Amino acid sequence: RRQARARVIKIWDLAKASVGANDALKITLTGHVSPVRGLAFSEKHPYLFSAGEDKQVKCWDLETNQVIRHYHGHLSGVFCLALHPTLDILVTGGRDAVARVWDMRSKQQIHCLTGHDHTVGALLTKSTDPQIITGSHDTTVKLWDLAAGKCRSTLTHHKKSIRAMVQPS
């Protein structure tokens, strides 16, 4: 039972939910066959991106509530994703120990960022270099050159898995 719920994405109207309204649930999206591990809203388009343990990365059009794009390439579960702040680029990371850089519109893989020895569990994207930062269960953080698709630097002072990262706004 819990497994089935983990495959569903629900979008809520928090203003309505905070006053106990019965119609606070706006949208329910179904399509993943395993738990959903990552979500990201586009600031530029009416899109929601989702990533799951089913190896699937989906782009949902929130005007039609339908999947309009799939990004294929991960060999196992996808645990995180991030949208570039200024370019139409999606970055995904997963259990296959790589981060994949996608052209959001064409669905083409631009780079496969290799070098981690375990799950890529956290991602950051920035408009300035390093534009992609990955955190892994191998205890490293890598800073990537987006244009070249190469690692610029590896940070190694963590003792345990990197599962989340944040940057000041």
Side-chain angles (χ1 to χ4, degrees):
R1 276 271 181 240
R2 282 184 60 219
Q3 189 78 354
R5 286 193 303 266
R7 301 182 303 220
V8 175
I9 300 165
K10 294 183 183 281
I11 300 175
W12 298 87
D13 181 324
L14 296 181
K16 288 183 177 182
S18 66
V19 295
N22 290 334
D23 61 344
L25 179 60
K26 291 173 58 174
I27 303 168
T28 299
L29 303 172
T30 57
H32 282 278
V33 297
S34 293
V36 174
R37 289 297 192 136
L39 296 168
F41 276 108
S42 170
E43 298 291 330
K44 299 189 285 185
H45 309 286
Y47 299 155
L48 172 69
F49 293 83
S50 63
E53 289 186 22
D54 54 10
K55 305 186 241 181
Q56 296 188 48
V57 178
K58 298 175 182 284
C59 174
W60 303 81
D61 182 325
L62 295 177
E63 293 175 347
T64 64
N65 301 333
Q66 300 294 315
V67 174
I68 57 168
R69 296 186 188 106
H70 289 91
Y71 302 84
H72 299 285
H74 280 282
L75 305 176
S76 55
V78 186
F79 278 49
C80 54
L81 57 101
L83 293 168
H84 192 280
T86 57
L87 305 172
D88 280 342
I89 287 177
L90 169 68
V91 185
T92 58
R95 192 180 288 140
D96 54 4
V98 300
R100 295 180 189 272
V101 180
W102 308 93
D103 179 306
M104 196 173 88
R105 294 180 175 278
S106 72
K107 306 178 289 188
Q108 295 298 311
Q109 182 177 291
I110 299 168
H111 297 298
C112 180
L113 306 179
T114 61
H116 283 295
D117 297 324
H118 206 304
T119 300
V120 174
L123 286 167
L124 290 176
T125 56
K126 303 176 2 165
S127 58
T128 58
D129 287 330
Q131 293 186 59
I132 299 172
I133 304 169
T134 56
S136 173
H137 294 193
D138 68 8
T139 74
T140 66
V141 173
K142 292 187 180 287
L143 314 179
W144 299 89
D145 179 320
L146 174 59
K150 302 286 183 208
C151 182
R152 297 168 56 129
S153 184
T154 301
L155 310 179
T156 60
H157 294 286
H158 289 273
K159 301 278 188 263
K160 301 235 174 161
S161 296
I162 311 298
R163 295 178 185 265
M165 297 186 299
V166 66
Q167 60 187 337
S169 49

